[in-house]
Amino acid sequence: DGGITQSPKYLFRKEGQNVTLSCEQNLNHDAMYWYRQDPGQGLRLIYYSQIVNDFQKGDIAEGYSVSREKKESFPLTVTSAQKNPTAFYLCASSKGRGPYNEQFFGPGTRLTVL
Amino acid sequence: GIQVEQSPPDLILQEGANSTLRCNFSDSVNNLQWFHQNPWGQLINLFYIPSGTKQNGRLSATTVATERYSLLYISSSQTTDSGVYFCAVFTGGGNKLTFGTGTQLKVEL
């Protein structure tokens, strides 16, 4: 089955620790994205990548870092510099670049900072 | 930046009822998507609709880009339709999706 997988489903972190969220897709999509969702709100863009070894900041990139070493993978690291990291994180992908490409989403990771 | 507003914010329906959800946006957009977020958080693609009307079973959507709005119609609602409905618009030169505020729908027996 083609799709987007995210792991883990739930993640607990102590303050001051970095943590990495995994996102993998087997859809042969070029572009991948990370969004954050807070309770009762819509999604906000953290980072996106349109091609391997290249990525761009979104609206709320502070305290996050990403890498894109393989087309299939786009891991997100939540660093200790992120002041309010507790949230629901969703990864997405689209076939190509530009605005005329539908985005598809993974099941998400719920991060809680204790 | 662009503002995307959805109405109503909350909606309670009896099973079998019909409803219309609205999405207004403040500037020109390249494209628009509708999603259903189920109780587990999964975002399910409903429509990819820059303009015109599309139908998929009991759901249909209409986008009038020149007037900066889109409508999602749900007919003969079922309890499984419950969840949050989001519209999201493409703006700028990249693949940036800006999400609306969402409509929380609850369908009761």
Side-chain angles (χ1 to χ4, degrees):
Chain A
D1 279 340
I4 303 168
T5 57
Q6 293 186 241
S7 61
K9 194 171 185 177
Y10 298 94
L11 187 57
F12 297 90
R13 187 196 93 175
K14 291 183 179 179
E15 280 193 28
Q17 289 180 336
N18 293 353
V19 64
T20 298
L21 282 57
S22 169
C23 177
E24 304 274 335
Q25 54 94 4
N26 61 3
L27 300 168
N28 198 32
H29 283 177
D30 289 322
M32 297 185 72
Y33 315 81
W34 275 105
Y35 291 87
R36 169 183 171 138
Q37 186 179 29
D38 292 290
Q41 298 187 25
L43 280 67
R44 293 181 290 166
L45 183 65
I46 304 173
Y47 268 99
Y48 66 98
S49 167
Q50 296 186 331
I51 195 169
V52 173
N53 293 323
D54 185 58
F55 46 82
Q56 307 294 329
K57 292 182 179 180
D59 296 324
I60 55 166
E62 185 176 351
Y64 300 97
S65 66
V66 294
S67 63
R68 186 89 185 274
E69 297 178 0
K70 298 187 298 181
K71 186 176 183 177
E72 303 79 21
S73 178
F74 191 40
L76 173 74
T77 297
V78 184
T79 75
S80 56
Q82 168 50 233
K83 297 188 185 311
N84 297 296
T86 294
F88 187 44
Y89 291 88
L90 291 127
C91 177
S93 70
S94 64
K95 187 172 184 180
R97 314 179 198 181
Y100 302 105
N101 291 279
E102 187 175 3
Q103 290 190 22
F104 297 88
F105 284 78
T109 292
R110 293 190 186 276
L111 172 64
T112 302
V113 175
L114 305 172
Chain B
I2 191 168
Q3 303 298 313
V4 183
E5 295 183 353
Q6 293 184 240
S7 59
D10 299 281
L11 185 59
I12 299 175
L13 298 174
Q14 294 297 311
E15 196 172 44
N18 302 329
S19 62
T20 301
L21 281 56
R22 187 176 180 101
C23 172
N24 291 332
F25 37 96
S26 60
D27 205 347
S28 300
V29 299
N30 301 113
N31 223 319
L32 185 144
Q33 286 188 239
W34 280 98
F35 297 93
H36 173 212
Q37 189 168 39
N38 66 22
W40 296 271
Q42 175 78 54
L43 273 175
I44 299 162
N45 290 41
L46 298 177
F47 294 101
Y48 174 69
I49 182 166
S51 64
T53 298
K54 291 186 176 180
Q55 180 151 7
N56 184 3
R58 296 182 295 104
L59 302 180
S60 64
T62 295
T63 296
V64 185
T66 53
E67 297 188 21
R68 300 181 183 171
Y69 73 89
S70 184
L71 302 174
L72 178 68
Y73 305 95
I74 304 174
S75 65
S76 304
S77 58
Q78 300 175 358
T79 56
T80 52
D81 294 332
S82 297
V84 183
Y85 289 80
F86 288 105
C87 69
V89 299
F90 289 88
T91 60
N95 274 12
K96 179 181 167 65
L97 260 184
T98 299
F99 278 75
T101 49
T103 292
Q104 175 85 54
L105 173 64
K106 183 176 182 181
V107 180
E108 299 177 333
L109 292 171

